Amino acid sequence: MSTNSISRIAEKASAGERLSFDDGVALFETQDVALLGHLAQSVRRARHGQAAYYNVNRHLNPTNVCYWDCAFCSFYRKPGAEDAYTYTVEQAVAEIAPYYAAGITEVHIVGGLHPTLKFEYYLDLLRGLKSAFPSLHLKAFTMVELDHFKRITRLSDDEVIDRLREAGLDSCPGGGAEIFAEHIRAKICRHKCDSQRWLDMARAVHRKGIRSNATMLYGHIESYADRVDHLLRLRALQDETGGFQCFIPLAFYPENTALAHLPGPTAVDSLKTIAVSRLMLDNFDHIKAYWVMLGRQTAQIALHFGADDLDGTVSGGGPLVETYSADGRSRCQTTRAEVVSLIRDAGLEPVERDTLYRPVVREAAVAAV
Ligand code: V47
């Protein structure tokens, strides 16, 4: 890749011109990582200035039982496995209670595709959480789970979404997208709903006025072209619906997966992926550097490579809130104070947001924790 063509891409990006598939691949291929970061950072700065967003949330994985066996996943357990679990609604409510008291604004709910749980279980879960914690935003269920609900109920997509919304669903997380390229999907998650289905379900969710996120799992067996293809499919749907809130590149973490022989992405690859995402996804407001997968230090640098959001999984007070790391075994947790200082130490201005990116104003006593 010559500096010349990177300069031409830079001109296009600064003129607000849309970048093409070839531009995206060229950006990934460049060795000039600093220039790439600079380009992405100009876009990020124009949109968000010095602000770096975070939220105070808690992940809830109601079950780790899953009937599929995605090669990249270490979280799932087969039914009957020694460490398989499924919460009752009461257990889920009890798990969230202390975090709600500590001031979380969102619960992020995602779980395995359980072979026997009925749709009613998921509706009861939403109802139970909503009635116990009325002000909590329920960001629940990926497009893959919605597709599973449709298959177990034989309802239409719209009916599934309506029922979930009536029960308390507020928005949807971005998981399950993995990588859209069919030849890769066939190798890493062949049973999972296909790319078109993921996109169609996201379209149906957006048409109901429900916002969702989008992810991309990178750093396994996909190529740069596959990544750019993924970004362009998301960009096309976002043109149509405007319903995506943020894009989250997820760095593949190989440990304890069927792909454990792979090295996973380097920090440089992660920074490039953040930057190219920022440049290609000109119709996405937010790019999230998910610190749980990236690690705190790479996430900090990512805030200078186009990312404007660190996500949450922090507690409202004290070292309370935690989430599973990618291997599904160790628990990652941080405090609001730590996230705030990560952002400040990166030279940026922390802004606590709610799920819909509205600023959260807290009383001084709570904000000080
Ligand atoms: O869909 C699974 C990925 C996703 C591994 O919407 C892995 O705000 C890396 O989607 N290494 C779930 N990644 C997490 C997710 C997410 C996270 C944070 C915020 C939001 C949001 C969404 O995690 C899965 C899959 O793509 N994943 N295994 C792994 N070994």
Side-chain angles (χ1 to χ4, degrees), residues 258-296:
L259 300 174
H261 56 285
L262 297 176
T266 62
V268 169
D269 192 14
S270 289
L271 293 173
K272 277 179 146 181
T273 307
I274 296 264
V276 177
S277 305
R278 178 61 286 169
L279 289 163
M280 297 302 294
L281 296 178
D282 53 11
N283 53 5
F284 275 64
D285 283 338
H286 300 284
I287 305 290
K288 193 182 281 186
Y290 186 44
W291 69 264
V292 174
M293 302 293 191
L294 288 176
R296 288 162 169 80

Side-chain angles (χ1 to χ4, degrees), residues 56-60 92-107 133 136 313-323 331 333-334 362:
V56 179
N57 70 356
R58 163 81 182 174
H59 283 226
L60 175 72
V93 168
E95 166 128 355
I96 294 302
Y99 304 97
Y100 184 69
I104 58 168
T105 60
E106 166 193 292
V107 62
F133 316 117
L136 206 52
T313 59
V314 299
S315 70
L320 273 177
V321 177
E322 39 189 59
T323 182
R331 296 200 130 205
Q333 63 177 29
T334 188
R362 290 185 186 263

Side-chain angles (χ1 to χ4, degrees), residues 82-278:
E82 206 183 311
D83 50 355
Y85 73 85
T86 301
Y87 291 154
T88 62
V89 172
E90 293 68 29
Q91 284 171 323
V93 168
E95 166 128 355
I96 294 302
Y99 304 97
Y100 184 69
I104 58 168
T105 60
E106 166 193 292
V107 62
H108 175 144
I109 307 171
V110 58
L113 303 184
H114 194 288
T116 54
L117 281 178
K118 303 275 182 279
F119 188 39
E120 263 320 302
Y121 166 83
Y122 301 93
L123 299 175
D124 287 344
L125 180 66
L126 293 174
R127 285 187 203 112
L129 291 167
K130 213 36 153 193
S131 82
F133 316 117
S135 68
L136 206 52
H137 181 109
L138 303 183
K139 183 175 83 177
F141 309 129
T142 65
M143 301 308 106
V144 175
E145 289 166 285
L146 298 193
D147 176 63
H148 167 72
F149 300 153
K150 182 217 167 83
R151 283 185 290 107
I152 61 173
T153 57
R154 300 175 183 219
L155 295 171
S156 67
D157 291 353
D158 282 354
E159 286 167 329
V160 166
I161 298 163
D162 286 341
R163 301 239 179 131
L164 291 168
R165 179 156 55 186
E166 282 157 21
L169 178 87
D170 293 305
S171 71
C172 295
E178 320 314 354
I179 195 92
F180 290 143
E182 281 74 11
H183 63 288
I184 301 294
R185 235 176 153 78
K187 291 186 181 145
I188 64 168
C189 54
R190 66 198 163 99
H191 299 300
K192 193 168 254 184
C193 79
D194 67 24
S195 313
Q196 197 50 51
R197 184 76 186 113
W198 192 99
L199 291 160
D200 287 344
M201 190 58 93
R203 180 184 294 104
V205 164
H206 297 170
R207 288 211 170 128
K208 292 275 174 192
I210 296 173
R211 309 299 301 270
S212 74
N213 293 336
T215 56
M216 173 176 75
L217 182 68
Y218 69 93
H220 42 92
I221 57 167
E222 86 293 357
S223 66
Y224 288 154
D226 296 327
R227 294 186 199 176
V228 177
D229 165 71
H230 189 96
L231 296 174
L232 292 189
R233 293 199 212 189
L234 289 174
R235 188 171 80 181
L237 182 55
Q238 180 75 331
D239 275 345
E240 208 184 307
T241 68
F244 289 118
Q245 299 213 94
C246 86
F247 176 67
I248 309 128
L250 293 169
F252 174 54
Y253 186 87
E255 213 172 293
N256 299 315
T257 74
L259 300 174
H261 56 285
L262 297 176
T266 62
V268 169
D269 192 14
S270 289
L271 293 173
K272 277 179 146 181
T273 307
I274 296 264
V276 177
S277 305
R278 178 61 286 169

Side-chain angles (χ1 to χ4, degrees), residues 11 21 32-33 38 74 88 95 102 112 152 154 157 213 261 311 366 369:
E11 278 165 27
F21 176 85
D32 196 342
V33 182
H38 171 75
S74 59
T88 62
E95 166 128 355
I152 61 173
R154 300 175 183 219
D157 291 353
N213 293 336
H261 56 285
D311 197 68
V366 183
V369 184

